[in-house]
Amino acid sequence: MSGRISVEQARDLWVNASDEEMKSLARGARAKWHEPNHATYMVMRIINYTNVCVAQCDYCAFYVLPNQEGGYVLSRKDVFAKIDDLLEVGGDLVAFNGGFNPKLPLDFYCELFAAVRERYGDRVEFYALTIAEFVYLADRANLTHAEAAARLRDAGVHWITGGGSEILTEDFRKRHAKFKYTVHEYFEAQRAIVAAGLKTTATMVIGFDETLDERLEHLQRTRDFQDETGGLFSFLCWTYKPYGTEFAGVEISPQEYWRHIALSRIFLDNVKHVRTSVLTQNADAFRALDYGADDFDLPIEDEVTQKAGATIELDLESLLAVPRSLGYTVEYRRAERPAALTA
Ligand code: SF4
């Protein structure tokens, strides 16, 4: 198989190809970008600054509604303490992630991000918001996506990631997250983020009730967006954790995850990095390096997935021993700065 594959060919591969065939094709696609037995990683912390959210996604075990018991907003001091802890264990990437909290306007975030940039400079990079949060905040501030992106950029933000995308089909969103955003809004926002000179990523979550057609539509939309903008640094896929959620369900197998990573690597011929999820797959995530992934995070905290059943291993050296035992050299990498902001 050579050249770009169609959705029909991707469907055929998923249904008919053996694991060995998937691996072999994905490794061929990976070799276009990366050394065969080399992988990169980051040590990061997801800081969940608030759990108050009005979106009410049925697959989420993290949120509480406004005025419900247990809602919180982290203080600036708490945020700094978490970043200091991250630096102490050798990490330098923070991903801020919270909920759609009606009490926190865009200005709250701009002030928080400016304070983090001022205190830590380039010692820490941060993913400021997911696109889902960005859309919500821009709407509430009555700003266009371009205006909101410019405000955040001026506050020192470099990255707004594609988190919160789950499955990008309108039907999936109506079934599970009807208050979050439409797929059209999602890509409009991401277009504005790229146009503002900020960096962004693509993500995907599998293992709900999505059909194969929906997975393929998500991949097709991602590839189309990258053809149009070239703005996606990476594609990260993780798996749904069903514990404590309204939707419930059962987890998919590691094998299904690895095959999906392979299919994504083969299909997304225009995205350099395909990332595997240690957060949701633990040690099984590293096997995805054989299926085309080239990069991963070692997270030290994420309340959202931990509430839904994810477990986090804090012995980073024992985790890194796993890809090494599979024959990979692993190299720490820092988050890139946007080219336009690099002096
Ligand atoms: S997944 Fe995010 S947007 Fe949806 S309810 Fe949970 S915190 Fe809110």
Side-chain angles (χ1 to χ4, degrees):
M1 189 172 280
S2 66
R4 173 167 279 196
I5 67 165
S6 65
V7 167
E8 289 65 38
Q9 286 172 310
R11 184 181 292 108
D12 184 54
L13 276 181
W14 182 261
V15 174
N16 295 314
S18 67
D19 285 359
E20 285 310 310
E21 285 166 334
M22 292 292 265
K23 262 205 282 199
S24 163
L25 287 169
R27 286 183 72 81
R30 185 190 195 275
K32 176 179 156 192
W33 304 96
H34 308 286
E35 290 294 315
N37 293 311
H38 183 71
T40 46
Y41 72 100
M42 308 172 90
V43 175
M44 60 100 76
R45 176 172 212 156
I46 299 175
I47 298 186
N48 306 108
Y49 49 83
T50 183
N51 63 345
V52 175
C53 186
V54 292
Q56 301 178 64
C57 309
D58 70 0
Y59 46 76
C60 179
F62 169 66
Y63 76 94
V64 303
L65 290 168
N67 303 321
Q68 252 183 350
E69 211 177 311
Y72 70 77
V73 178
L74 292 186
S75 69
R76 190 79 53 90
K77 194 168 149 228
D78 290 336
V79 169
F80 289 161
K82 283 176 182 281
I83 297 175
D84 291 342
D85 285 349
L86 173 71
L87 285 167
E88 214 157 281
V89 298
D92 63 0
L93 177 68
V94 170
F96 289 104
N97 183 226
F100 297 5
N101 185 333
K103 291 213 172 112
L104 304 182
L106 183 63
D107 284 344
F108 166 90
Y109 295 89
C110 289
E111 285 162 21
L112 171 65
F113 300 143
V116 171
R117 188 62 74 199
E118 184 182 303
R119 183 177 165 107
Y120 296 97
D122 287 342
R123 284 192 299 143
V124 164
E125 189 49 272
F126 57 89
Y127 295 165
L129 298 164
T130 63
I131 289 173
E133 294 162 304
F134 173 81
V135 169
Y136 175 75
L137 290 172
D139 283 354
R140 293 220 346 130
N142 268 328
L143 295 174
T144 64
H145 293 146
E147 289 165 342
R151 290 271 296 277
L152 288 158
R153 187 190 57 212
D154 293 347
V157 167
H158 298 161
W159 290 81
I160 297 177
T161 61
S165 67
E166 293 90 28
I167 297 288
L168 287 168
T169 73
E170 299 294 6
D171 199 61
F172 179 91
R173 311 230 63 83
K174 279 188 206 129
R175 293 202 304 277
H176 297 291
K178 57 180 176 290
F179 302 124
K180 208 162 177 178
Y181 55 75
T182 65
V183 176
H184 178 75
E185 283 171 329
Y186 180 92
F187 283 110
E188 278 302 300
Q190 195 160 36
R191 221 166 259 121
I193 287 161
V194 174
L198 299 174
K199 293 192 78 81
T200 191
T201 62
T203 69
M204 180 171 192
V205 188
I206 58 170
F208 307 93
D209 61 352
E210 76 281 0
T211 62
L212 175 57
D213 280 347
E214 286 184 312
R215 288 187 188 176
L216 294 172
E217 182 178 333
H218 184 115
L219 291 177
Q220 174 81 66
R221 287 178 180 278
T222 303
R223 191 169 75 180
D224 289 349
F225 182 82
Q226 183 73 330
D227 277 346
E228 179 195 331
T229 68
L232 299 173
F233 177 81
S234 59
F235 170 84
L236 165 65
C237 178
W238 67 90
T239 53
Y240 168 57
K241 292 284 181 183
Y243 311 101
T245 70
E246 182 193 334
F247 180 61
V250 290
E251 292 193 60
I252 63 169
S253 68
Q255 284 84 352
E256 184 172 348
Y257 177 67
W258 300 333
R259 283 178 66 87
H260 184 74
I261 290 288
L263 190 70
S264 304
R265 177 65 287 173
I266 298 161
F267 191 84
L268 298 174
D269 60 351
N270 53 1
V271 178
K272 183 174 179 185
H273 295 288
V274 170
R275 315 189 70 224
T276 180
S277 169
V278 176
L279 182 60
T280 58
Q281 289 290 309
N282 301 97
D284 285 333
F286 300 113
R287 186 57 78 178
L289 298 172
D290 290 344
Y291 287 75
D294 62 276
D295 189 70
F296 56 90
D297 289 319
L298 297 182
I300 65 166
E301 182 186 27
D302 175 34
E303 203 185 327
V304 175
T305 49
Q306 287 174 291
K307 275 258 169 77
T311 54
I312 286 181
E313 170 58 75
L314 290 175
D315 182 349
L316 305 185
E317 275 309 310
S318 76
L319 275 174
L320 289 172
V322 182
R324 288 182 181 126
S325 74
L326 296 173
Y328 291 90
T329 54
V330 287
E331 182 187 352
Y332 193 84
R333 75 169 174 87
R334 299 202 62 196
E336 287 183 12
R337 301 191 70 195
L341 302 175
T342 306

